[in-house]
Amino acid sequence: MHTFYIAPTSFGVGLTSVALGLVRALDSVGLRVSFCKPIAQQHASDQGPERSTQMIQQVMGFTPPPPISLERVEDLLGDNKRDMLMEEIVEQFDRAAIDADVVIVEGLVPTRAAPYVTGLNGDIAKTLDADVILVASGQEDSLSEVADKLEITADNFGGIQHRKVIGYIINKLSLEQVQQIEDSSSEVFDKLPEFRRKQFHPIGYIPWNEDMSSPRTKEIADLLQTQILYKGDIEQRRVTGKVLCARTAANICHLLKPGKLIICPGDRDDIILATCMAASNGVPLAGLLLTNGIEPHEQIMNLCKKNVQQHGLPILLTQLNSYNTATTLDRLNNEVPIDDRERIELVMNSVADKLNGEWLKERCGTEVEIRMSPPAFRYQLIKRANQAKKRIVLPEGNEPRTVRAASICHERGIAECILLGKTDEIHQVAQDQGFQLPESIIIMEPDIVRGRYISPMVELRKHKGLNAPMAEAQLEDNVVLGTMMLAQGEVDGLVSGAVHTTANTIRPAFQLIKTHPDAKLVSSIFFMLLPEQVLVYGDCAVNPDPNAEELADIAIQSADSAAAFGILPKVAMISYSTGSSGTGSDVEKVREATKIAQQKRPDLLIDGPLQYDAAAIENVAKKKAPNSPVAGKATVFVFPDLNTGNTTYKAVQRSADVISVGPMLQGLRKPVNDLSRGALVDDIVYTIALTAIQADQFSSRK
């Protein structure tokens, strides 16, 4: 499935018309096309639903998801909840993308009231990992100025050179501009070297078509709230121009042409008679608009009545004077009305005819590196956790961030959380933070339930000489108590670490949960939510110095975990050397681990040793590892030891202000996950969601 994000260079480029044309063009070349308008941007005169979505529904026969209101967007941005906004947009997109080969996503138009949408367009395109098509207008700019605007707008998406900025469409061109572009000697766009880039493609040049912006006479009547003296063909007649009559009839006869709206005061008998005569001669005028609230003389109307009725000339009356009428008409919204099926079809077909649909089809068939964006990753976490419906125990039940996270998880249906702690104390923590716990949250008091886990724990650890008093003492630790609940199958997963160390969290799991039969060791990964994509780092929390065999297992576990969460695994075995350039015991360990992993799992893309820059950056990869299937494209980074892994993850997290989710433990029979002691509430929520998904995967293996 492919995604095209349509973004304007400025206000008034005809973005909706181009989006509609793209849908028709791609549909015409045999692709299953869907459409998504993530955020509604209503015109001031709009009274009904968002127009792009409704027009697509009428013409194409499918129903795009309803867009988010601009008011909600501004509320979320004002509350610093940009991530939540992106998750909602991903949810919309996923609904639109069902069974589609390609999705057209219509972006936002920058206005004085909403200048922030320029940056928002860039964020949404990155989130959806979309190809970006820029849309400009030649109506008020020279071609040189259009080229400059395209280059400036491209900077919001990484620049014209960015692999995702694939081309441009120029709308509303004059015939002279079209001729200039078609002239082979023209160097308007070649003046910028970036425009010569093969992938930055001219997708379409669309000439101005008066009919595409011609309103029906009906829209004029609605705008001015006119009295309709004669309805005529008011639903079908279109206004291609306006004639404001101040001169005598003899001096305006040459202006009485098809599509013209004749405007004059109601006492101008000569203009009224001339207009009706033109109509009787077969001229399909748009209508006669009478001003100043003056109705024509009854005898004049009787004289014209037969011709008017026979030839369908609409006659309207407004209370405004002629000047104010003309001024108001200049403010008419030229966007296509939702119920104007004829004009919608005209726009779609006219624009589609000028677009290079075959090139776009080829682009859809081109393999493009698929990247999981952070909002998409978070959205998928929440969605899959909702479906899993698992019970997660939280041993740090009175810790404020944990209490808040548990509340959010219940409100959003992420998991059924069980807080370990004293009921009064936990409710007081919630009250101190200004919220009430949902009634569905379960609070278990350790002092009340501890006794029932003593015997089962003795049974699990009797080979280590554990007796009842020792078990009771260990169960004083809520992490141990929660782990026993997991071991007994009373809960599906455990999350801890907001106040406990990693060792405190995972030691009971090693002792009571044990490793999975298919795993030789327990390891960990972090999901690193970089600005444009999610990467997997392993092992950064558990194994201090794994040997080659263990490192190979960590690589395989990490690849499988990445795939389980929707990230295409391309595994880079990290070292201080790339390929065969370095020697030493450390690099040899990585080299051997790579061979072992490749032999065990030939279905996976695994390469190493690779330096971090060679694994992550395409330009560096071309120089250091040009033949590597992973270099420059790695999504899973496996570090040679804990010292390297932990240092790297923290350096990236703190220096780049990156959210990290984890560590997620791999290799246990049941999911236990650790938190950073600096974890934010959102970090805990996503870790709970991640744990619920793991639990669902474990149960499906049985």
Side-chain angles (χ1 to χ4, degrees), residues 81 84 394 396-412 414 417 419 426 429-438 441 680-682 684-685 688:
K81 293 181 178 178
M84 183 178 292
L394 306 173
E396 299 160 326
N398 60 356
E399 197 282 319
R401 291 165 295 166
T402 301
V403 175
R404 183 60 178 149
S407 177
I408 292 170
C409 286
H410 277 250
E411 290 168 359
R412 300 178 67 179
I414 294 169
C417 294
L419 295 168
I426 291 172
V429 168
Q431 185 177 334
D432 291 344
Q433 295 185 80
F435 70 94
Q436 285 190 335
L437 283 176
I441 281 186
L680 302 175
V681 171
D682 282 349
I684 301 173
V685 169
I688 292 171

Side-chain angles (χ1 to χ4, degrees), residues 230 232-233 237 252-253 255-260 262 270-288 303-315:
Y230 287 102
D233 298 330
R237 297 286 175 101
I252 61 99
C253 282
L255 299 175
L256 299 175
K257 294 181 179 180
K260 298 297 182 181
I262 310 304
D270 59 333
I271 301 296
I272 295 170
L273 288 170
T275 301
C276 292
M277 284 294 293
S280 68
N281 288 333
V283 179
L285 295 164
L288 174 62
L303 187 62
C304 299
K305 183 176 181 179
K306 185 176 181 179
N307 282 337
V308 169
Q309 290 177 340
Q310 284 182 348
H311 297 283
L313 177 69
I315 301 180

Side-chain angles (χ1 to χ4, degrees), residues 60-370:
M60 298 302 294
F62 60 81
T63 305
I68 303 166
S69 70
L70 201 59
E71 291 78 11
R72 172 157 177 77
V73 170
E74 290 174 346
D75 286 344
L76 289 172
L77 294 177
D79 292 339
N80 199 28
K81 293 181 178 178
R82 202 179 194 89
D83 288 344
M84 183 178 292
L85 171 61
M86 292 300 147
E87 290 169 36
E88 291 186 15
I89 289 171
V90 171
E91 179 180 8
Q92 275 188 315
F93 175 82
D94 277 2
R95 289 164 60 189
I98 296 172
D99 296 328
D101 296 320
V102 58
V103 181
I104 304 299
V105 182
E106 183 182 333
L108 291 157
V109 178
T111 64
R112 290 182 181 178
Y116 58 85
V117 304
T118 300
L120 200 54
N121 275 331
D123 288 348
I124 297 171
K126 287 179 184 177
T127 293
L128 302 179
D129 195 33
D131 279 351
V132 176
I133 298 174
L134 304 179
V135 180
S137 167
Q139 193 168 42
E140 297 181 358
D141 296 319
S142 67
L143 291 181
S144 179
E145 290 169 332
V146 169
D148 289 339
K149 283 188 175 181
L150 285 169
E151 186 179 24
I152 291 167
T153 304
D155 288 341
N156 296 309
F157 304 92
I160 286 178
Q161 295 289 354
H162 196 279
R163 65 187 180 87
K164 283 292 188 178
V165 181
I166 65 164
Y168 60 91
I169 296 167
I170 306 180
N171 193 18
K172 301 182 181 180
L173 288 163
S174 67
L175 294 178
E176 292 79 11
Q177 288 173 318
V178 172
Q179 185 62 45
Q180 186 181 356
I181 290 170
E182 292 176 349
D183 184 355
S184 60
S185 65
S186 172
E187 297 183 356
V188 173
F189 292 96
D190 286 343
K191 71 171 188 156
L192 295 172
E194 294 86 348
F195 277 73
R196 302 190 194 110
R197 182 171 69 88
K198 184 178 179 181
Q199 290 156 315
F200 191 61
H201 198 81
I203 296 168
Y205 299 115
I206 305 166
W208 172 254
N209 182 342
E210 192 75 39
D211 292 338
M212 286 170 56
S213 61
S214 300
R216 293 168 296 183
T217 308
K218 170 184 179 294
E219 272 105 59
I220 301 298
D222 292 341
L223 175 69
L224 298 175
Q225 297 181 332
T226 63
Q227 179 184 346
I228 299 174
L229 302 181
Y230 287 102
K231 185 175 182 180
D233 298 330
I234 194 171
E235 300 279 353
Q236 290 78 40
R237 297 286 175 101
R238 294 192 178 276
V239 180
T240 59
K242 301 180 285 290
V243 179
L244 183 60
C245 300
R247 293 176 288 172
T248 62
N251 289 317
I252 61 99
C253 282
H254 66 289
L255 299 175
L256 299 175
K257 294 181 179 180
K260 298 297 182 181
L261 178 68
I262 310 304
I263 305 171
C264 70
D267 58 0
R268 287 294 302 270
D269 297 343
D270 59 333
I271 301 296
I272 295 170
L273 288 170
T275 301
C276 292
M277 284 294 293
S280 68
N281 288 333
V283 179
L285 295 164
L288 174 62
L289 176 57
L290 306 176
T291 62
N292 297 93
I294 303 173
E295 290 196 38
H297 195 281
E298 184 179 353
Q299 292 181 349
I300 295 294
M301 292 307 295
N302 287 337
L303 187 62
C304 299
K305 183 176 181 179
K306 185 176 181 179
N307 282 337
V308 169
Q309 290 177 340
Q310 284 182 348
H311 297 283
L313 177 69
I315 301 180
L316 314 175
L317 177 65
T318 177
Q319 298 299 314
L320 298 175
N321 62 35
S322 296
Y323 173 78
N324 287 336
T325 296
T327 302
T328 303
L329 289 177
D330 285 340
R331 295 198 296 268
L332 176 67
N333 178 12
N334 285 324
E335 293 182 321
V336 184
I338 292 171
D339 63 344
D340 194 346
R341 179 67 177 266
E342 179 186 351
R343 191 169 157 200
I344 295 171
E345 289 281 359
L346 174 64
V347 168
M348 293 184 79
N349 293 333
S350 298
V351 173
D353 286 345
K354 299 299 181 181
L355 300 180
N356 193 341
E358 288 296 334
W359 184 86
L360 290 170
K361 182 179 180 180
E362 289 178 13
R363 179 72 184 181
C364 292
T366 301
E367 282 195 22
V368 178
E369 193 70 26
I370 298 174

